[in-house]
Amino acid sequence: MHLAAHFPGVNNTTVWADPRSRSQIDFSSFEQLARTAERGKFDFFFLAEGLRLREHNGRVHDLDVVGRPESLTVLNALAAVTDRLGLAATVNATFNEPYELARRLATLDHLSAGRAAWNVVTSSDAFTGENFRRGGYLARADRYTRAAEFVATARELWDSWTPDGTSRPFAHDGPQFTISGEFTVPRSPQGHPVVIQAGDSDEGREFAASAADVIFTRHGTLEAGRAFYADVKARLAAYGREPDGLKIMPGVTVVVGDSDAEAQEKAAGIRRQQVSPQNAILTAEQIWGTDLSAYDPDGPLPDIDPVPDSEITQGRVRHGDPFAIVARWRAISEAKGLSLRQTVIETTTRQSFIGSPRTVAAELTSFVDERAADGFILVPHLTPSGLDDFVDRVVPLLQESGAFRSEYTGSTLRSHLGLPEPVWKG
């Protein structure tokens, strides 16, 4: 089993009002969560990132983090206070350039002695594009085309140094990038930084099968996980890859209690904190696409139709067809007698594994044994102490059963993940 720790930034997971919740921007928070993950022998520490603060009704979104530092800079600092933990940065392939980003990632890989990873994300968002000089954005159909060539070009740059330390000129001429010169950073300790891809669309799955080492996904049930796992692994052969060459690691949340019943009670309390009355209205406004401040979150669902193609929220991934979502919410609300807030809680639940330490360990192991995942990226609801219970109470049981490592056996992230060093293609 592979395990990673996620430090959320743009989210509805973190319980901001909990007295134990600390800064989302101070380095001490990043350091504490990373040290906890390394104490638990996790594979890597994973930073999310957004390139523009989201806005809702013309104001900064309540669940966004103002002042969040840039991911690669944070990870370079974490390289000095960790020894084995992989360090994964989310960096956008739409609003960066291959030479610059390949250089920054290679630098992190050297400073960390081979522990760097790049979570490749794309954007088709004109709102985010306004932050950049060209002021534009890519159509959704083009974003993975650019990303695929971006990753391939970065790998050409990393391969422009031979394994014995000789620099060679590079030249790339493609539809997206035409660049040439000499790359300034030697080949990294693990050959290339590990490439992670986050996405669940068909084009995202195909991109992961062709270019990624890890895919970060989300599926809520064992059956959905098995279907995703089988689909993505089946795509690898077309690219000459073996099934173990791509690790599937869904993002999950865990709530641990002394008993299963206590854990369920804790999880329900966490959901009530995550979906405050104010947040329930905000979430509903994203679905209905209009101002719902006149509605009572503890009353019935709005009796109006959603506004299609609304831009009430800027910089956020769409939820899907608003009419279908509203119809589903109304059916659930009517069947269970739920208020608006209760419906939001019911339909946006986040806790994936809930129970005693032994129950959680068994369920995680079952997902891996049943080929629904190769491991998990844990998303805690508290920063930075949200992994403590899992590391102290669940990890020892996973180690005892042989489902998870007791000690690191290698020094690079590729060794943790069981990935071979890339074949040099100079």
Side-chain angles (χ1 to χ4, degrees):
M1 183 186 302
H2 299 286
L3 294 174
H6 184 271
F7 191 108
V10 179
N11 72 99
N12 62 352
T13 300
T14 302
V15 176
W16 310 96
D18 191 296
R20 296 168 295 173
S21 183
R22 301 217 320 260
S23 175
Q24 296 278 319
I25 63 176
D26 287 350
F27 181 70
S28 60
S29 292
F30 296 101
E31 181 179 7
Q32 181 175 334
L33 193 64
R35 286 185 182 274
T36 301
E38 187 163 73
R39 178 165 57 84
K41 314 303 179 187
F42 279 36
D43 293 68
F44 60 91
F45 176 83
F46 179 47
L47 281 180
E49 182 167 79
L51 292 179
R52 181 168 181 176
L53 291 171
R54 295 175 297 166
E55 293 180 8
H56 183 80
N57 260 341
R59 300 175 62 187
V60 173
H61 194 292
D62 279 354
L63 298 183
D64 226 331
V65 178
V66 179
R68 177 73 175 265
E70 190 273 330
S71 293
L72 277 168
T73 306
V74 172
L75 294 179
N76 278 310
L78 288 176
V81 296
T82 56
D83 296 315
R84 299 291 185 92
L85 185 69
L87 303 168
T90 299
V91 188
N92 197 297
T94 305
F95 298 113
N96 282 283
E97 297 298 325
Y99 182 89
E100 179 201 14
L101 182 53
R103 186 166 177 261
R104 292 162 64 202
L105 287 162
T107 299
L108 173 61
D109 214 35
H110 278 282
L111 291 177
S112 64
R115 296 184 280 138
W118 170 26
N119 177 40
V120 184
V121 295
T122 63
S123 175
S124 59
D125 179 8
F127 177 74
T128 300
E130 292 174 357
N131 271 356
F132 294 86
R133 180 171 59 87
R134 59 180 177 269
Y137 63 99
L138 289 179
R140 291 185 66 84
D142 297 331
R143 58 184 183 145
Y144 279 115
T145 301
R146 177 183 170 91
E149 187 176 334
F150 196 124
V151 173
T153 305
R155 284 176 167 150
E156 290 175 27
L157 294 168
W158 294 328
D159 276 342
S160 67
W161 281 71
T162 67
D164 64 4
T166 301
S167 173
R168 297 185 177 187
F170 70 84
H172 176 92
D173 186 6
Q176 302 291 326
F177 311 105
T178 299
I179 59 175
S180 61
E182 290 197 13
F183 194 56
T184 59
V185 184
R187 188 172 175 83
S188 73
Q190 57 178 344
H192 299 167
V194 168
V195 172
I196 305 170
Q197 194 270 331
D200 192 33
S201 66
D202 186 72
E203 58 187 355
R205 297 182 191 203
E206 200 66 27
F207 176 50
S210 68
D213 301 304
V214 177
I215 184 166
F216 173 38
T217 184
R218 179 175 296 143
H219 42 69
T221 66
L222 180 65
E223 293 73 19
R226 291 184 67 185
F228 180 89
Y229 189 97
D231 177 72
V232 173
K233 295 281 188 173
R235 298 173 188 244
L236 294 170
Y239 300 98
R241 303 181 65 190
E242 296 296 323
D244 284 345
L246 175 64
K247 305 300 181 183
I248 296 176
M249 299 180 66
V252 301
T253 56
V254 175
V255 179
V256 180
D258 290 339
S259 66
D260 291 351
E262 181 187 277
Q264 290 290 345
E265 184 176 343
K266 285 176 62 177
I270 290 167
R271 285 304 295 146
R272 288 192 294 271
Q273 289 179 297
Q274 289 170 327
V275 184
S276 66
Q278 179 183 4
N279 191 23
I281 292 294
L282 184 150
T283 302
E285 286 179 339
Q286 293 169 2
I287 304 299
W288 265 266
T290 191
D291 187 339
L292 300 176
S293 58
Y295 286 84
D296 180 0
D298 294 318
L301 270 62
D303 54 357
I304 58 176
D305 289 333
V307 177
D309 302 319
S310 169
E311 295 185 354
I312 190 171
T313 301
Q314 296 276 8
R316 183 176 178 85
V317 176
R318 295 182 185 277
H319 290 273
D321 178 6
F323 290 92
I325 296 172
V326 167
R328 181 168 61 89
W329 281 22
R330 284 178 174 154
I332 292 171
S333 175
E334 183 176 346
K336 298 187 177 183
L338 303 179
S339 68
L340 172 58
R341 182 185 178 199
Q342 290 169 332
T343 302
V344 174
I345 291 172
E346 178 78 11
T347 57
T348 61
T349 184
R350 300 280 296 189
Q351 283 77 28
S352 309
F353 297 95
I354 304 169
S356 68
R358 198 161 295 280
T359 294
V360 169
E363 290 183 351
L364 291 170
T365 303
S366 176
F367 264 65
V368 175
D369 289 345
E370 294 288 331
R371 300 192 177 190
D374 292 309
F376 308 92
I377 298 177
L378 274 70
V379 186
H381 72 277
L382 284 178
T383 302
S385 61
L387 287 180
D388 292 355
D389 274 355
F390 184 86
V391 168
D392 293 337
R393 305 181 69 186
V394 179
V395 167
L397 296 176
L398 295 172
Q399 294 169 330
E400 182 183 283
S401 69
F404 186 63
R405 69 171 67 88
S406 295
E407 294 293 340
Y408 291 110
T409 57
S411 59
T412 69
L413 178 52
R414 287 188 178 275
S415 67
H416 302 342
L417 292 168
L419 297 171
E421 183 174 320
V423 175
W424 179 65
K425 297 179 180 178

